Amino acid sequence: MTRINEKTRFHPMPDGGPASPEGFAAGGLHCGIKRKRPDLGWIYSEVPAAAAAVYTTNRFQAAPLRVTQDSLAVEGKLQAVLVNSGIANACTGEKGLADAYAMRRLFAERIGIPNHLVAVASTGVIGEPLPMANIQIGISKIHPAAADPDLFNRAILTTDTVTKHVAARTTIGGRTVTIGGAAKGSGMIHPNMATMLAFLTTDAAVEGAALQNELKAVTEETFNMITVDGDTSTNDMVILMANGRAGHAPIAPGHADWPAFMETLKFVCRTLAKAIARDGEGATKLIEVDVQGAPSHEAAKAIAKSVVGSNLVKTAVCGADANWGRIVCAVGYSGCPVDLNKLTVAFGSVTVLKNGTPLPFDEAAAETVLSGETVPIHIKLGDGEGCAVAWGCDMTADYVKINASYRT
């Protein structure tokens, strides 16, 4: 049995992914949506799995989200997911919706399961129709026996520069349980679900209602705490499937092993969320904003997201400039009541403002912190027990270059 870390109650598997849990397979291929790279990915469970999903808050939800919601509404289960990249199938009218339903039907027929057990996802350019002839040919080539998790990880990418995947193991009911996941996201990333897709799988047996409630809660603390550019997309969602193949009795909140399950799920989601933020379009650094001492948890979240989303903060980090005034400014317009006389700001271990008073600090030491691959910003408010962490990235000239020619 996998040795579990006694402090964390889970064992990280950095090379893992959605095919790591028992009974899951994943793969991908090139069907011709993109010029050369894999663009059609799939996940398959040997048995129907309890499933949950969280969707973008953009009012113009793309056709695949509507189809996936329709699938889950039947019995709250999924057995497979089909994903295409390159074209988002968003703002494509009734034809786009019909194409999304056709993707679901064709994949269900291919692997021999009911239509409602298939979820569909798309990502890419908005407003263009799917090349359904290419997709149909691609689906005809899918077979769970020909699985290749790396191809799935690559098939879901758009402007991402790296694949994003991880898994972790814990113990439930004396059985080894695995939670795995893969995600994509690089631009049009903003809290409250953005241009990102995340696919999570586990061989744990979890009651369906608990799965939905906890996925929403974990998403709030992880995927909804990242930002790259402030744009919330039309397409994106997080899907979690639990097929029960680990062989333990179903669990729910209150079970002795529920904390271990949740800690493992949070680790997987947090790892993927940070990977998305780190891979922001044109980014060179991950920014981590840690807020402590807020009057409430919600206030801490709002302040952390305000700072990490500030373009002035992001550009200062890009230039390794310890311009702490920009951080104070972002705290001030967060909408949360803050007493400046209690506000403390630090770059790593370099404190630049304490209880509202500027401090002389070592510019070279601050520049060293700001030049690292991960830039920690600590904010203390001295006004309560609320705390939160948000993640983002620096903004470089390459972000403009990438988005100025996204369609070409």
Side-chain angles (χ1 to χ4, degrees), residues 31 33-34 37-41 83-88 121-125 130 154-158 184 197:
C31 73
I33 301 175
K34 298 177 182 176
R37 295 190 297 170
D39 48 23
L40 192 66
V83 191
N84 78 270
S85 61
I87 293 178
S122 299
T123 183
V125 178
L130 291 170
R154 292 163 53 199
I156 65 177
L157 305 183
T158 50
K184 65 80 51 181
L197 296 173

Side-chain angles (χ1 to χ4, degrees), residues 21-23 170 172-178 202-205 243-249:
E22 187 71 25
T170 190
I172 296 176
R175 301 295 184 96
T176 297
V177 163
T178 304
T202 180
D203 45 23
N243 68 7
R245 297 289 291 206
H248 60 84

Side-chain angles (χ1 to χ4, degrees), residues 57-290:
T57 56
N58 193 303
R59 289 183 178 273
F60 302 125
Q61 290 189 349
L65 276 69
R66 296 171 61 185
V67 171
T68 296
Q69 291 173 53
D70 184 37
S71 289
L72 282 170
V74 177
E75 56 177 321
K77 292 184 177 182
L78 294 173
Q79 194 169 352
V81 180
L82 183 68
V83 191
N84 78 270
S85 61
I87 293 178
N89 194 13
C91 302
T92 46
E94 290 302 315
K95 176 64 165 60
L97 185 60
D99 287 344
Y101 275 113
M103 287 177 63
R104 183 178 77 163
R105 175 181 56 80
L106 290 167
F107 190 37
E109 291 174 352
R110 176 61 182 167
I111 56 180
I113 63 174
N115 289 355
H116 71 270
L117 292 180
V118 174
V120 178
S122 299
T123 183
V125 178
I126 293 172
E128 293 189 6
L130 291 170
M132 287 304 295
N134 298 61
I135 290 176
Q136 184 169 359
I137 292 172
I139 291 173
S140 71
K141 298 177 181 178
I142 294 174
H143 195 289
D148 186 335
D150 180 61
L151 282 175
F152 174 82
N153 298 336
R154 292 163 53 199
I156 65 177
L157 305 183
T158 50
T159 57
D160 307 62
T161 64
V162 294
T163 58
K164 303 163 182 70
H165 54 93
V166 70
R169 286 182 174 147
T170 190
T171 300
I172 296 176
R175 301 295 184 96
T176 297
V177 163
T178 304
I179 302 176
K184 65 80 51 181
S186 188
M188 202 182 283
I189 302 292
H190 190 59
N192 300 320
M193 294 305 303
T195 288
M196 54 150 289
L197 296 173
F199 306 98
L200 309 170
T201 60
T202 180
D203 45 23
V206 185
E207 295 179 4
L211 205 66
Q212 180 64 47
N213 291 338
E214 298 306 326
L215 176 62
K216 183 176 181 180
V218 171
T219 296
E220 284 295 323
E221 303 301 320
T222 56
F223 295 115
N224 281 355
M225 293 300 290
I226 61 175
T227 186
V228 168
D229 49 23
D231 282 337
T232 299
S233 174
T234 53
N235 278 61
D236 301 325
M237 58 183 160
V238 178
I239 294 176
L240 171 59
M241 301 167 64
N243 68 7
R245 297 289 291 206
H248 60 84
I251 63 170
H255 189 280
D257 291 327
W258 186 255
F261 175 78
M262 288 305 301
E263 190 172 337
T264 309
L265 178 61
K266 288 177 183 177
F267 167 77
V268 170
C269 293
R270 188 185 306 115
T271 300
L272 293 175
K274 291 171 67 175
I276 291 171
R278 175 63 183 83
D279 194 33
E281 289 173 338
T284 63
K285 305 168 187 175
L286 173 70
I287 303 173
E288 182 172 272
V289 177
D290 180 13

Side-chain angles (χ1 to χ4, degrees), residues 360-407:
F361 63 93
D362 186 335
E363 288 277 359
E367 183 178 349
T368 297
V369 174
L370 287 159
S371 298
E373 290 188 4
T374 298
V375 177
I377 297 175
H378 302 292
I379 299 170
K380 295 181 180 179
L381 305 174
D383 200 23
E385 300 297 322
C387 58
V389 181
W391 300 276
C393 61
D394 60 337
M395 182 169 285
T396 70
D398 284 341
Y399 175 84
V400 177
K401 293 179 182 178
I402 291 168
N403 283 284
S405 58
Y406 184 77
R407 295 196 309 145

